[in-house]
Amino acid sequence: MIQLNASVYDIEDDKILFSLVERALNKHLEIVRNKWQRDFDYYNGVGKEAHQTNKAKYIDDMSNSLFISIPPEFSTYNTDDTEAISKNNKKLKLRGFGKALYDVGSNASICGSGFLLTYNKDSDEYPRFVSLDPLRTNVCFNCDVEPDSLFGFTFVKQVENINSNEDNTYYKIYVYTDKYMYTLRTISTKNLNVFYYYPIKLEEDILRNKTPHYFGKVPITAFKNNENETGDSFCVYGLIDAYNHIREDAIKNIDDVINYILFMKNVRIGNDEELQMFRKLLDEHIIAAEDIDGKGVDAKFLTNPLSQNDIQTMLESISNDIHTISRVPNFSSETFAQNASSIALQLKLLGFLNLANEKERCFDQSLIRVLKMINNYLKFIKNDEYTFEVDDIEITYTHNLPSNDTEMVTQMVNLKNIGLLDAKEGLKQLSWVKDYETFYENAKKEQEMQKLVVDNLQKFNNNEREEEPMRKEQMDNLQNFSKGLTSNNDNQSQ
């Protein structure tokens, strides 16, 4: 996020807009150099030895997978919009919104910010979505108490003349305001003066440079990982470096066994010729040395005073600190090696649940903004079938966490027995039910079908009794059944 001392009225002037884009591009490249590139280097293991453990990648990937690998569901308090919201959820799934949001969350987990572009192609009846690379994307805000977005941009590096040997690369920039998309470029990657990408000669060139859109807001939405806009592993970079440093030394320690220094005490080596002979004997794993004044010859290798067990204990201690501070559990540890009740699991995952709640608060604002843009677009094209009241929307997250479904089902049965179970809310709690709406509807249809079969059988039996006289065997069975009931009642009365 970049803040500029400007207003929405300033960017209506092309010259001012171009100047602001130039300033924003400089600031963005500075952020990338000083922060985001380092975050992605940690994530990708750039500059690390091949045998070092990439803890940053584990933390960032695991936190994002647990948080939003299952796309959030949108529901409404307004019963009039229930059908429209259901259709929107299905349309979002078809548009790959879940995949785009997962990629946005992944970038946010790595560097603290992710960016989602809402766009449309010609004749689209519903918007499309794509995650943008944070290293090439940013959103600029004004300096109000509650900052509002001025414009967003994303850029790609291009070559002016491929056949030239000179460095003639430049940036092609797509700039989005709340009304238009501009196609701009810089003079070069070093000279960031901005102008229209296509030379303005004809009216069609102007249209290619400046295209209107109908989302009512800047189509690039920034998703913050937290209020500080830092990645999930950022807080443990120092511990990760210490962990890898000790691990590196441990592996080198094993390699250095071959090159240990031999320490010899009370030994006379002799002159240069005798020294060469002594080295030759060492190469043949033979030691022959002259004792000095009968003090006793002593020979041993100089080794690392830390044993492998000591090093392993230290590595485990640092690893535990990494997962405790980052609040992302280590699922390969002994803590998760045994079955546990739901309460025990929640206690083990308490740190991550707090982290997930923090992410939810930041993502909620951005998701509501996306929903407003979807609604604006639908209203513009008059697709009333999908329009809804955004203020009545509720966002439900389902975290991909380990759960004790057996215990949960038992609780649901107990609630049903006392008449306090909401079937849909109960289904949401089961990890293996992915689409609880469809599951509920199918189960309801199955119950209705079973009831219909039972009713038809009862009608058939009743008709059979009315049409056919009762046979002797049936009369005997009925009398015996009646006697049994009478006998039971007599025994109970006594």
Side-chain angles (χ1 to χ4, degrees), residues 284-347:
E284 297 175 0
H285 305 288
I286 300 172
I287 297 179
E290 182 181 351
D291 189 2
I292 299 177
D293 301 329
K295 293 181 179 180
V297 175
D298 186 18
K300 60 183 178 181
F301 286 106
L302 295 180
T303 62
N304 191 334
L306 283 177
S307 67
Q308 289 297 319
N309 290 334
D310 294 334
I311 293 173
Q312 186 61 33
T313 301
M314 191 178 301
L315 284 173
E316 289 176 358
S317 176
I318 295 176
S319 179
N320 291 335
D321 288 343
I322 288 173
H323 291 286
T324 301
I325 294 173
S326 67
R327 297 182 287 179
V328 177
N330 180 9
F331 287 103
S332 62
S333 67
E334 295 181 358
T335 307
F336 293 92
Q338 54 189 351
N339 294 330
S341 65
S342 295
I343 296 176
L345 278 173
Q346 288 179 1
L347 289 174

Side-chain angles (χ1 to χ4, degrees), residues 137-302:
T137 308
N138 218 318
V139 178
C140 299
F141 294 78
N142 59 24
C143 296
D144 292 349
V145 175
E146 188 176 348
D148 194 15
S149 52
L150 296 170
F151 61 88
F153 65 88
T154 185
F155 61 88
V156 292
K157 184 184 287 189
Q158 300 210 327
V159 180
E160 191 85 57
N161 184 0
I162 298 177
N163 298 322
S164 173
N165 294 325
E166 299 179 4
D167 182 13
N168 52 8
T169 56
Y170 65 94
Y171 295 125
K172 182 178 181 180
I173 314 170
Y174 299 95
V175 178
Y176 299 86
T177 67
D178 59 351
K179 296 178 182 177
Y180 297 99
M181 183 195 80
Y182 297 81
T183 307
L184 310 177
R185 61 159 291 175
T186 62
I187 294 177
S188 67
T189 53
K190 296 179 180 178
N191 187 342
L192 300 182
N193 287 333
V194 175
F195 55 92
Y196 278 125
Y197 182 76
Y198 300 103
I200 299 180
K201 296 178 182 179
L202 302 172
E203 183 68 21
E204 63 183 40
D205 290 323
I206 298 177
L207 295 176
R208 292 165 73 190
N209 284 318
K210 186 176 180 180
T211 307
H213 66 78
Y214 308 103
F215 297 106
K217 295 178 178 294
V218 176
I220 300 179
T221 303
F223 285 75
K224 295 193 296 185
N225 192 51
N226 49 51
E227 290 301 325
N228 296 323
E229 296 183 57
T230 55
D232 292 322
S233 60
F234 173 78
C235 57
V236 290
Y237 281 171
L239 286 172
I240 290 174
D241 289 339
Y243 182 91
N244 284 330
H245 179 70
I246 294 173
R247 191 178 180 86
E248 176 76 9
D249 285 350
I251 294 174
K252 285 183 178 179
N253 191 31
I254 296 173
D255 294 337
D256 289 343
V257 169
I258 303 172
N259 301 316
Y260 274 158
I261 297 173
L262 178 64
F263 174 75
M264 304 185 72
K265 183 179 179 182
N266 300 325
V267 173
R268 178 180 287 113
I269 301 299
N271 55 30
D272 291 343
E273 184 178 346
E274 291 172 328
L275 177 60
Q276 293 299 326
M277 179 62 68
F278 183 76
R279 287 178 174 172
K280 184 177 180 182
L281 290 173
L282 284 179
D283 291 339
E284 297 175 0
H285 305 288
I286 300 172
I287 297 179
E290 182 181 351
D291 189 2
I292 299 177
D293 301 329
K295 293 181 179 180
V297 175
D298 186 18
K300 60 183 178 181
F301 286 106
L302 295 180

